[in-house]
Amino acid sequence: MRLPVALLAGAALTATHLAAALDWSGLQPLGDAQSVTRHERGVTLACADGSALTVTFLTPAIVRTRAQFAGQPAAPDHSWAVARTDWPAVTWQLAETADAVTLRSDVLEVRIQRSPLLVSFIDPATGRVINADARPAARDPQSGRIGVAKKLGLDEHFYGLGEKAARLDKRRGRFTMWTSDTPGYVEGTDPIYQSVPFYLGLEHGVAYGIFHDNAHRSTFEFGHLTQESVDYSVEGGELNAYFFAGPALKDVVSRFTELTGRMPLPPLWALGHQQSRYSYYPDTMVEQIVAQYRARDLPLDVIHLDIHYMAGYRVFTWDRARFPDPTGLTRRLAEQGVRVVTIVDPGVKHQPPAVGAHDAAIDRDLAPQDQSYYVYNEGLAADYFLRQRDGSHYIGEVWPGKSVFVDYTKEAARRWWGDLQHASLTARGVAGIWTDMNEPADFLDPTGRRHEHIVFDDLGRQSAYAGHRNLFALHMARATFEGLARHRPAERPFVITRAGYAGIQRYAVKWTGDNNATFASVALNIPMFASLGLSGQPFVGADVPGFIGRGSGELLARAYQVAAFAPFFRNHTAIDQYDKEPWRFGAHYEAIVRKYIQLRYRLLPYLYTTIEEAHRTGVPLWRPLILNFQADENTANLDDQFMIGDALLVAPVLREGERGREVYLPTGALWHDFWTGAPHRGGDMLRIDAPLDHLPIFVRAGSIVPSTVAMNHTGEKPWDPLRFDVWPDAGGEARGELYEDDGRTTAHRDGAFRRTQLSFTANRLTFAPEGAFAPPAREFEVAFRGVTAREVRLDGDVLPAAQWRQTADGVLLVRFADPGRACTVELR
């Protein structure tokens, strides 16, 4: 949500200043290790200065290091980010010498030099150091500031850190973790909305990850002003780090999400096209927009209501003049296959009731609120709002004016929030919740400096604001998600967030806030989405074609070519900006947009299969090329192309006026043009023509890609026919998968899904389904690329000629009814 214009310049200046390298003055290092105490999973080293370092194996490939510096008060061992604390036993060995203490599992060795105290992580198979301290970790006893320095590799690359307005490879960059409302950000603006203190390192084909689970304001410098070290500095809290061994980047991401949690499987409709603006009102306009979509043959699954649906911007209310019958509106839209998602901000209008005023007993969200606001009254009575050290309520200013904010660290407050959400929104047919302004934004001070006296309950510990600002959105998303799950236990929740901390993927999908309607912003989407995926957040997207600015038909077309592959696929714009629905720039551009929205719906079987993989493994749908081709050094910092899953490579045009571009196809694979089937050798740089209606897409040989026909919305009809494009590799083999379930409920958790493994080898395609889900009767259509046959058999029976044919462009098409069981298609 856009800030008042007067605040933009100051916020940008604050975000983009250049600071010096990490200042080590005043920091006192951990003392030399004197004694070692062995525990079940690791050791504690007592140091000469009274400090202590505990090293713990969670798994053979995940190691936690936690320090207590001399004079530092002991802190409870609790994390809001960590989802898993029960780990199976680990087999490991301990060795001690006069110089070092060494812990070793099957896949990782941790060597702790006693004097000075330095920690190194080593590959036990090769003896090669993966990551090592450059100097002992240190702390300033006066300020509580902590510093960590790691050796910087000559050819080391760095990825992750969640949402950063930066390129993919973070080497030589400096980044701050401090959730900030930053409308109109550009490349280099830092910090922005989200803070995830986790990064991945990669050198010589070996990857690792480090997560500093500390929500205080922190800074990472990846050789920013030094040739020697990667520096981490945090303004308070404790040194609590997790090391994740690779060697594959995918392994690191999977292990990080094993610790912090994985994205729940979203409803299928969440992958559909979504339309928004700040704001659509009244209800008749909302219906007119949907009617335009249907009349123009433009697929649409979701429409969003921004802050103007509320009565005076009061959360959990409806403006009855604009939306007299919200339940009727959501029902009429649902009949057309369109769901409603409403925005909910954390600021609750500070509104003491007028003398003698009372809240309505029923339908409180529909009642007038000008004399008494029921949400404020309830939260005040239950003591759910944040207080300051002196006991007064913190009062900020957002859209309703003076506002108070909920302390979501209180379990009762989270439950109350979820109950309000149900009574006023989901019980009236709202399908999902869009949480915004949750850095938390405050018009009086976007930097957060005036918030420093706020105190959070934090499980009764009464913790300072400094360690909780970065956690605020995580807590709000949790309250929102748990409320949806509690009141609609059979349905999958859908929550959107702007801000977040590590673990946010457990509760919400992520959109990248108030971006610009420019080609530079569209180009920035690619590394931002990739970095978020590498940081555990696979369901991401950006406002199309950009929230701030007018844009053009050309920008709209090119932005849709990128966004059609992003999990979160929403058109959105600011209140004071030109309309950007697909038809606003004329029929020529509308036709291009339609082509790529329909392509999105055709690819839903592949996208849904790949997003389920992300849910199950943590490996994202939207991938930088380096994630799939770690051995190809040419992909290490390549971030103007991306891959969707393992099979599809997309190389969009990202500059105005260009009608072609160079495309790099990674080595180690054969590639095919998605549109023509033309083969291309891996390792080559190609010049590809790309007129405005063309998006260069390539398929990795050896893939089987499922798809279906385009439709108006995801629930319009079953995937029928289900098409499988078989792209054999040089050895004549291909692999693929299809995941299916009912797309809406949580029954998949109990086995109500169907996962079909597809394998093509020796001219035989096998379908091997598993799971209890039974899809409706449908046809399979298989397109074999570059394959010919004189005869086609299904489970040994010859198929009649009417069920298969060879096309002029060399595709062998075979069609048959899904038998609902394992089967084999044989080509002879």
Side-chain angles (χ1 to χ4, degrees), residues 741-806:
D741 57 28
D742 65 21
R744 183 177 56 85
T745 75
T746 58
H748 64 284
R749 299 176 187 168
D750 300 318
F753 63 85
R754 179 174 175 178
R755 189 189 317 281
T756 303
Q757 301 291 341
L758 299 108
S759 175
F760 180 68
T761 184
N763 279 347
R764 293 167 62 91
L765 174 64
T766 59
F767 294 75
E770 63 171 351
F773 177 68
R778 73 276 182 91
E779 294 278 307
F780 282 172
E781 182 178 83
V782 184
F784 295 94
R785 303 285 180 151
V787 177
T788 60
R790 301 186 312 275
E791 180 181 272
V792 178
R793 297 188 175 211
L794 176 63
D795 290 335
D797 296 329
V798 176
L799 283 181
Q803 289 185 244
W804 65 278
R805 63 188 176 90
Q806 196 90 42

Side-chain angles (χ1 to χ4, degrees), residues 316-317 359 364-365 369 372-378 420 424:
F316 305 125
T317 69
D359 294 325
R364 295 178 301 170
D365 56 317
Q369 307 290 328
S372 183
Y373 176 29
Y374 79 103
V375 176
Y376 176 80
N377 297 338
E378 282 191 1
L420 288 172
S424 64

Side-chain angles (χ1 to χ4, degrees), residues 400-604:
K402 290 183 177 180
S403 301
V404 290
F405 297 82
V406 174
D407 184 353
Y408 297 108
T409 67
K410 293 182 176 181
E411 182 179 359
R414 293 196 301 271
R415 189 175 187 91
W416 169 70
W417 191 261
D419 291 345
L420 288 172
Q421 169 183 278
H422 176 68
S424 64
L425 298 173
T426 56
R428 301 198 181 281
V430 170
I433 304 296
W434 161 21
T435 60
D436 198 355
M437 304 287 285
N438 53 356
E439 290 72 35
D442 184 345
F443 296 162
L444 299 177
D445 179 13
T447 70
R449 283 188 293 267
R450 72 181 296 269
H451 307 157
E452 63 183 12
H453 299 301
I454 295 174
V455 175
F456 287 78
D457 179 75
D458 190 24
L459 303 180
R461 293 194 290 263
Q462 301 302 303
S463 300
Y465 180 84
H468 276 270
R469 178 185 177 97
N470 285 340
L471 290 166
F472 186 88
L474 178 72
H475 293 309
M476 183 184 181
R478 177 180 179 180
T480 305
F481 179 91
E482 289 178 347
L484 291 173
R486 186 170 63 253
H487 287 285
R488 302 187 304 188
E491 295 188 32
R492 304 176 201 175
F494 182 64
V495 181
I496 307 165
T497 188
R498 189 168 75 178
Y501 182 72
I504 188 67
Q505 66 274 3
R506 303 197 301 266
Y507 309 120
V509 308
K510 164 69 182 165
W511 111 100
T512 55
D514 298 345
N515 60 345
N516 297 305
T518 63
F519 275 87
S521 182
V522 173
L524 191 58
N525 286 341
I526 297 176
M528 288 183 73
F529 295 172
S531 296
L532 283 160
L534 292 174
S535 303
Q537 299 169 73
F539 205 116
V540 296
D543 291 339
V544 183
F547 185 71
I548 299 171
R550 180 185 178 96
S552 65
E554 180 183 5
L555 175 68
L556 186 72
R558 292 301 194 192
Y560 261 95
Q561 289 170 2
V562 174
F565 293 91
F568 183 60
F569 184 28
R570 180 178 74 167
N571 181 308
H572 185 48
T573 193
I575 192 170
D576 57 346
Q577 303 296 328
Y578 190 76
D579 309 79
K580 298 188 182 77
E581 293 89 0
W583 56 86
R584 294 297 188 180
F585 293 93
H588 175 66
Y589 300 107
E590 179 186 347
I592 299 172
V593 171
R594 180 182 298 107
K595 173 182 176 179
Y596 287 97
I597 301 177
Q598 290 181 344
L599 175 63
R600 162 65 163 241
Y601 279 73
R602 284 170 46 205
L603 287 173
L604 276 174

